[in-house]
Amino acid sequence: MRTKQTLPIQGFEIESIATPGIFHPVMGQFLLLGSVCLFLPFLASGHMIHYRSADPSASLLNSQARGPTTSNISDIFVGRCEEHVQCLQQDQCNTNTTLRGTCDQLWGTFVDAFAYKDPCQAGNDDYDAVIAAAMPHANKDESLFWSGLPKLALNNGRVTGRYTILEETLPGYIANGLTWCGQTGAPGINYNTPCPSAYSSGCANETMYTFWRAASRAFARQATGTISVALDGSRTNPPAFRNTSTFATNELPNLNTAAVTHVNILLVYDISVKGDNRRALCDKGSIKDLQTLLTDRGFTYTCIEGPRGFKFLQCAGDPDNARCVEACSFAVIPNASIALVLAASLLIKLVTGVRN
Ligand code: NFD
């Protein structure tokens, strides 16, 4: 018999299988023993288990080789804009659209921000008109900021619908994953050579990151109620909370202290990291620094180590990972074993005449 239970874990539905009928004191104990596997992963708590290794030395931030401006960027830009405005990807329409004017006009405003300009000489306010025409928006209590978890944060928003990240709002949705930069000569947009990164020397005022900073500031300003921030609790260098991150430098300072009531810190652990993946903890190191910053600004906070929704999302992509085998569903006992157990139970019942 299959029963569906909805557990209060970030909106996930967990299906459990209950076997009907036969129960015997002896076999019951046997089954009870078998069910100890339910708790094994908790006992192991990640210390003794070895998994597919992640490369801890790979720096997320510095491994960003850029190409030239994305080809057909105007079509993609306008197409994504239309898609967002018309809510064509229904499961992703969890934010109100905020477009002023048309998508073609928004493209024009966007191009004006960087075309025919040196890509390393962007002004801080170059994209203000773009953001004003396409303000990010999230419902009260649903703004989710992230550092170090771009894919997981986006997946979380899409699957649960409980949070909204910048990349789901109009400006973030349009620009996410695109590359663009200008050049002083015609045609004003560089489609041929790699766009410089803000990490390159002499390019601190790089145009793409200027856009993201502007979008991040606007996203922070609109947040109301409880906000959440998901941090990579399995990385050490940089630490989970990096005080030079966009979250620290552009989002945190722009939260409206009158509108934001509480900050929910989500320390997400990477299931692919071998050994102890709980490298950051709520009451230690960089998270302590973050908490001090929050307190200084008058915010109350909670901090969750290993929020389960984020773990289950990772498990969906890697279901055989031992960290994911938490519930000892009967599926882990081969069918033949179940048949044997049931047959033995019946036999004992017949011999002993025990009534169930
Ligand atoms: P991260 P975060 N210079 O994982 N967001 O807190 C340059 F050039 O460390 C979204 O910084 O988290 N680039 C996007 C930087 C980009 C720098 C930026 C820097 N000093 C910000 N620092 C996006 N979707 O592309 C960070 N970056 C770039 C918003 C770099 O490309 C998100 O809504 C790196 O891969 C989120 O709330 C990416 O930012 C927060 O700011 C993320 O760096 C994540 O920025």
Side-chain angles (χ1 to χ4, degrees):
M1 181 173 68
R2 275 172 183 269
T3 55
K4 260 195 175 173
Q5 295 178 309
T6 303
L7 302 181
I9 307 165
Q10 306 216 356
F12 278 83
E13 234 181 20
I14 307 291
E15 195 176 59
S16 63
I17 302 168
T19 49
I22 308 158
F23 190 82
H24 182 274
V26 177
M27 292 316 297
Q29 281 176 21
F30 175 77
L31 290 174
L32 193 68
L33 268 179
S35 71
V36 163
C37 63
L38 254 171
F39 302 102
L40 276 179
F42 296 113
L43 296 176
S45 103
H47 290 275
M48 309 162 348
I49 312 168
H50 295 275
Y51 307 111
R52 176 163 59 83
S53 97
D55 176 5
S57 66
S59 164
L60 177 77
L61 291 174
N62 297 318
S63 61
Q64 312 212 343
R66 277 196 187 151
T69 300
T70 307
S71 53
N72 302 313
I73 189 169
S74 62
D75 293 340
I76 298 170
F77 186 103
V78 173
R80 285 185 179 181
C81 175
E82 291 290 353
E83 200 174 66
H84 202 277
V85 171
Q86 295 183 44
C87 191
L88 299 180
Q89 305 274 351
Q90 279 95 9
D91 61 328
Q92 293 169 33
C93 297
N94 54 354
T95 67
N96 297 341
T97 193
T98 51
L99 180 65
R100 286 194 201 154
T102 66
C103 290
D104 283 323
Q105 286 167 339
L106 186 64
W107 168 250
T109 310
F110 182 72
V111 169
D112 284 348
F114 70 93
Y116 290 100
K117 293 183 182 174
D118 180 334
C120 291
Q121 299 288 326
N124 209 32
D125 55 2
D126 276 3
Y127 289 91
D128 284 1
V130 178
I131 302 301
M135 283 293 290
H137 174 267
N139 296 328
K140 180 171 176 283
D141 298 330
E142 291 182 3
S143 296
L144 172 66
F145 302 85
W146 56 266
S147 251
L149 305 158
K151 203 172 149 199
L152 199 55
L154 193 55
N155 285 345
N156 187 76
R158 285 177 177 166
V159 171
T160 69
R162 290 183 66 228
Y163 298 117
T164 300
I165 63 170
L166 174 61
E167 291 73 9
E168 294 173 282
T169 71
L170 183 58
Y173 184 79
I174 292 173
N176 200 25
L178 298 182
T179 301
W180 67 90
C181 59
Q183 59 186 31
T184 48
I189 298 178
N190 176 1
Y191 288 105
N192 295 316
T193 55
C195 289
S197 147
Y199 297 114
S200 324
S201 62
C203 198
N205 300 321
E206 179 264 321
T207 194
M208 273 179 64
Y209 191 50
T210 301
F211 166 85
W212 283 111
R213 282 200 317 263
S216 294
R217 286 195 299 270
F219 186 55
R221 284 185 192 125
Q222 64 78 47
T224 54
T226 294
I227 62 132
S228 303
V229 54
L231 302 172
D232 181 349
S234 294
R235 72 181 190 186
T236 49
N237 186 21
F241 173 66
R242 175 173 64 96
N243 60 13
T244 55
S245 67
T246 319
F247 170 67
T249 56
N250 286 272
E251 294 178 328
L252 206 48
N254 281 294
L255 292 173
N256 180 347
T257 46
V260 173
T261 51
H262 190 75
V263 179
N264 190 17
I265 304 167
L266 303 168
L267 258 187
V268 178
Y269 298 121
D270 182 345
I271 65 166
S272 73
V273 168
K274 73 177 183 180
D276 187 2
N277 65 353
R278 300 164 68 91
R279 292 173 181 165
L281 296 171
C282 284
D283 59 356
K284 289 217 170 83
S286 70
I287 304 303
K288 266 290 185 222
D289 298 341
L290 169 58
Q291 290 171 355
T292 304
L293 284 174
L294 294 175
T295 308
D296 288 351
R297 293 211 55 213
F299 296 120
T300 57
Y301 61 83
T302 43
C303 178
I304 301 173
E305 292 169 357
R308 289 201 284 180
F310 281 90
K311 180 175 178 184
F312 290 159
L313 272 175
Q314 296 178 74
C315 289
D318 187 9
D320 295 329
N321 186 310
R323 290 188 205 272
C324 300
V325 188
E326 279 198 351
C328 185
S329 76
F330 282 84
V332 299
I333 304 174
N335 287 342
S337 306
I338 293 177
L340 270 177
V341 167
L342 294 178
S345 179
L346 269 175
L347 195 63
I348 292 168
K349 202 168 92 164
L350 282 175
V351 171
T352 61
V354 173
R355 283 172 165 262
N356 288 311

